[in-house]
Structures are given as structure tokens and as C-alpha cells.
Amino acid sequence: MARSPFTLVAAVTAAVPGAEVTGARALTADGDGRFDSAVATLADGSELVIRVAADDAAAIELAEEALALRALTAGAREMLSFRVPTAMGETRVGEARALVTDLMPGFQIEASNIPAGRGAAHSIGEAIAAVHALPPSVVRSAGLGVRDAAAVRTETEQLVDRASATGRVPARLSARWRDAVAADDLWRFESAVTLGGIQALSFLFEDDPHDGPQVVAVLGWRGLSVGDPAEDLGWLSGAPEAASDILSAYAAASQRAADDALQVRARLHAELEFARWLVHGDELRRPDIVDDAAGLLESLSAGLRSDDLRVVASYTGGVDSALDVLDRVPDTRSTDIDTSMQTDAYRPEDLWQDERDETGNVADDASSGEGVSERGADGSDADRSDGDETGSIDPSADQQGADRTGLMAGSQPASWDEATQDLTDVSGVRGSSHHSDESVRTRPAPDPAPSDMDSADEAQRAARAALQRWTRSDSE
């Protein structure tokens, strides 16, 4: 049975000596049952998040996160232009491990809804470059993992072998991955400090009236290590509109040596998430997981065209796939990150509710939304992602019911521009607030209407209007 917020915040004083707790509330950006969580309000007005592990695996995650956050010294944090959670203390709630961190501000945007152009896309690229620019000594001094290109290549080869040994990987996928492992040009890169797989929901935004949404905090540091920077870019396959601008901003902000194979390896790492899911199910002797992973691999294989994972000198596009289905695949690696339960949520019904009046002007409507569905603590939702469970809303009616596509869809040269098999549905926008804690319900799809998101500037204006609506409603 899930613990109540009052039970959880009572443990904050044990984890943070001297903390004077004056209030408790549920964390609206809840997780999938791996943690119990709550927000504690202190006498000085600050807010802390307490998360309590539900099982041994979750306890290991909390321990890894605490170690990584403590590795980020004041000097390392000064090098970053955004906030990082601070581990305030640890304790036990019964026999369960608990971690207390400060509450991060900001709202989240689903990968498929990140607009192109300046604003969120550019800010994300710069934030990833800043993480990769951290000195490796930050990781080494904390005793965290350090892998060079050869070690990453060896790990990839071992994963391909283990997945293929199950007999459930399509032959063309197995051959594709083995060819990639054998391609020397693919593995000539300079290792960097990484998070082991940043996701779109790792980034928290606040709106700037001139530059649009800007990254103000980054979550999910438990995978902190030195490794392949491409691992933090695989998620861009789910952001087809913004991928090119994110990569351009990343390259402009990065002071690292050029890596012609960066995007190709990012695509490879994204594909191999399905292999990890398969191996995970096989190790647990879970036929349901194995069958699910095998089905995803079949869909992925069916979407492949004549291209391969070689380094192509003329390749100038962004990460070309739209692997939105990856949010159905729970992370299984020891370096996986979790961005749930570390930030509160804006009322999703307050976002993206601009409607046009009879004159064609955009009218604010901060109260007409009905909310979106919040998954239960048992994680029984059809989406098996380990991420944030706050419901989501598509930013425009044109996007309602949009299908997720297979791996090789995109706008690349030659055969790379062919769409693949649809896999699942896209989701919308998530956010954060220090004050709203009510549940959200399923939003019915609205009637088709003209889209307000035809350009990056309009997207930024809509985001700003949403934030202003929330601010007004909150002050009321």
C-alpha cells in the first residue's frame, strides 16, 4: 500500500537535521509504483522531495542517484547554466531506503512536441553540450564508471550477442547491428561525461519572453559516467521537428573534436534499447516481456530500408528516426535515468488551450480543459515507461491521434526518407508547479481546429501564454 504524504514527510526531519516541516502534499508528477513520493514544505518556504524505494531495484537507483549528485561539486555545478538537484539527505522509512532532494522548478515537454527553431531546441542542445563538457575528473573522483570508445564497442557487441542468442531477433537486424559493431569508423570518438541516456523529460523549462522556453534544470543524474556522448542523443529520434536544431546547437556549443559518426551511433543506441528489453525479459524468464520485445523488433525490422549504420560522409541530416515507441520500453541498464517524481506538475489542462475567436484572434482559455489521465501507483497503464506519469496533452489539434513511426522514418537523403510502420501514439506536454496537486483525468480528443504551432515563434508564444495563464490562475 502506498504511503501517505504525511507519513513520508515525517521522515524528512530524520534525513535533513534541523528541517522544520510545516506542510505536506502529494507530488503531482508521480511515478510508476517504484517509489512513494511527496513534497515537504519547510518553515522558510522552500520545498523538498522525498522518495522512498518500493523494492530493492528502486533502492539501488536511489543510491546511484545520491552518489552521482554528490559527485557534482560546487565547482562542477558552476560550469552548468542550469540547476541540478541537490541530495539533501538519506534515511529509512521502515525497511525502505529514502532520498530527499530539493524540488526543481519548471515544466516538461514531450519529445514529439519540442518545436524547431530557437527556444527549447537550442537550449536543449546547449544543455547537453554543457554536460559533455564537464571534466572527467568529476566522475573519476567519485568512483563512477569510465568507459573509452573500445569499452563501449565491446559492451555493444556483447549486447548484440546476448540478444541474438535468444533467437527472437530478426536476422536482418542482427546482421545490421553486427555490421555496425565491425565498422571501425563508427567507434573513433572522444569519450565524455554523460548521463547514460538523457530523455526529453530530463529537461525542465521556464519561459523567456524573448527567447522562448529555456532549460532551467536537468533531472536524471544517476547514470552519470564517462562514455559515449551519442548515448545522450538517441532520444532525438522521437523529436523529428527539433532534432536538427538541437544537434546544430549542440555542435555550436561543443568544444569537442568533430565526430562524423555521432548521429549514426545515436541511432544505433536507440535501436539497441529494444535489444536490452528483450535480454531483460529473457534473464527474468518472463515470456510476456520477451514476446513484447520480439514484436517491437519485428516492427523495427519491417521498417528498415536499404540504408545501413555506416558513417556516410555526405550525411548532413539530424537523427533521422522517430522512435517514439521507446517510451514503451522500460529502462533496464544500470546507467538508466529516472526523471519522475523530482518535479511538481503544472495542471496540464492549463497548457495549449488557445482557441481562436470569431475574428481569428487567439483567446486564452485556462479553465476549459478537462485534464488528462494519471496512471496508478501499480504502473498498470499500457505505457511501461519508467518516466514521469503526469498525463499529457498535444499542443495542437492537428497532432491529435498522430501515430508513432518505426525507426527509419525521417527527412534524410535517398531511401532514408521513407516512413516506417506505425507503432503507437504520441503524447503531449508536461509541466511543473509548486502549488497544484490535484489529479488529472483523461482528455477527450478535441474537434479539429486550425493549428497554432505552424512555426517555432508561434510555439514559443503559445508556451508563454500557457505559463502566463497558469501564473494568473495560481495567484488567484
Side-chain angles (χ1 to χ4, degrees):
M1 179 181 295
R3 301 172 179 87
S4 73
F6 296 99
T7 300
L8 295 175
V9 300
V12 169
T13 54
V16 185
E20 184 180 349
V21 178
T22 60
R25 60 184 173 86
L27 188 62
T28 57
D30 205 356
D32 60 359
R34 294 178 302 120
F35 303 93
D36 291 332
S37 57
V39 177
T41 303
L42 304 186
D44 62 3
S46 62
E47 293 184 301
L48 303 179
V49 175
I50 180 169
R51 286 177 291 155
V52 180
D55 53 35
D56 291 342
I60 292 174
E61 292 183 20
L62 288 183
E64 291 173 343
E65 181 176 351
L67 181 61
L69 292 179
R70 291 193 173 101
L72 294 170
T73 61
R77 292 168 185 258
E78 285 289 332
M79 299 178 65
L80 303 173
S81 60
F82 48 81
R83 291 181 58 183
V84 175
T86 299
M88 306 298 294
E90 297 178 78
T91 188
R92 293 263 176 189
V93 177
E95 297 298 320
R97 187 184 194 111
L99 174 65
V100 177
T101 61
D102 51 347
L103 182 68
M104 293 288 98
F107 60 89
Q108 297 166 299
I109 306 176
E110 293 280 359
S112 59
N113 294 316
I114 299 174
R118 66 185 182 87
H122 285 185
S123 187
I124 288 173
E126 293 167 356
I128 297 175
V131 173
H132 293 177
L134 288 172
S137 58
V138 170
V139 172
R140 292 193 180 97
S141 61
L144 300 175
V146 177
R147 299 170 297 156
D148 59 12
V152 173
R153 184 179 189 178
T154 298
E155 286 184 5
T156 303
E157 183 177 19
Q158 292 172 346
L159 175 61
V160 172
D161 288 343
R162 292 170 64 190
S164 299
T166 66
R168 302 300 298 273
V169 179
R172 66 186 307 198
L173 268 181
S174 182
R176 170 187 177 86
W177 294 339
R178 292 186 189 280
D179 288 345
V181 170
D184 292 338
D185 289 346
L186 201 62
W187 305 101
R188 292 171 181 159
F189 66 87
E190 178 186 358
S191 57
V193 173
T194 72
L195 297 187
I198 294 175
Q199 301 295 324
L201 298 182
S202 300
F203 303 99
L204 299 179
F205 300 89
E206 286 186 355
D207 195 72
D208 184 279
H210 301 292
D211 298 324
Q214 299 293 304
V215 174
V216 294
V218 174
L219 306 178
W221 290 78
R222 77 179 186 87
L224 184 67
S225 65
V226 172
D228 184 358
E231 293 177 352
D232 285 343
L233 298 170
W235 69 274
L236 293 182
S237 56
E241 297 297 325
S244 179
D245 288 323
I246 292 174
L247 286 165
S248 295
Y250 171 81
S254 178
Q255 299 180 357
R256 301 167 50 76
D259 181 358
D260 293 335
L262 179 70
Q263 298 175 56
V264 182
R265 284 199 319 281
R267 182 173 61 192
L268 174 62
H269 288 308
E271 293 181 20
L272 289 174
E273 289 304 310
F274 298 106
R276 286 190 173 89
W277 182 229
L278 174 64
V279 170
H280 177 68
D282 186 64
E283 291 176 341
L284 294 180
R285 300 186 182 279
R286 289 277 304 275
D288 56 329
I289 295 178
V290 171
D291 290 343
D292 179 66
L296 293 172
L297 289 169
E298 289 288 350
S299 295
L300 177 61
S301 178
L304 298 181
R305 304 303 185 221
S306 58
D307 63 284
D308 55 22
L309 289 171
R310 292 176 299 177
V311 179
V312 181
S314 61
Y315 180 75
T316 57
V319 176
D320 63 293
S321 55
L323 276 172
D324 290 340
V325 74
L326 280 177
D327 65 9
R328 292 180 50 200
V329 181
D331 291 332
T332 57
R333 294 171 294 175
S334 61
T335 57
D336 292 332
I337 63 174
D338 168 46
T339 62
S340 66
M341 300 168 293
Q342 298 178 53
T343 178
D344 206 357
Y346 288 136
R347 289 163 47 92
E349 59 266 37
D350 289 344
L351 298 178
W352 308 110
Q353 290 300 304
D354 292 353
E355 296 181 356
R356 295 187 181 276
D357 59 23
E358 296 179 356
T359 65
N361 296 324
V362 175
D364 288 346
D365 183 3
S367 62
S368 61
E370 297 179 14
V372 290
S373 174
E374 181 176 17
R375 288 193 287 260
D378 60 358
S380 59
D381 195 299
D383 185 346
R384 292 180 296 280
S385 173
D386 285 348
D388 184 315
E389 291 214 327
T390 302
S392 55
I393 306 171
D394 284 342
S396 72
D398 292 338
Q399 292 177 326
Q400 294 293 336
D403 293 329
R404 297 184 188 275
T405 57
L407 179 63
M408 304 310 298
S411 56
Q412 305 310 319
S415 62
W416 292 9
D417 61 357
E418 298 187 51
T420 62
Q421 178 175 348
D422 293 339
L423 297 176
T424 184
D425 296 326
V426 297
S427 50
V429 176
R430 309 182 182 189
S432 89
S433 162
H434 291 280
H435 303 283
S436 175
D437 62 354
E438 64 183 75
S439 299
V440 287
R441 302 180 177 86
T442 302
R443 169 183 298 279
D447 294 332
S451 171
D452 291 331
M453 305 302 293
D454 293 335
S455 69
D457 288 339
E458 289 189 68
Q460 293 152 8
R461 286 195 294 273
R464 289 195 293 271
L467 185 63
Q468 291 166 359
R469 287 197 301 278
W470 169 81
T471 303
R472 289 197 302 271
S473 64
D474 184 59
S475 63
E476 295 171 356

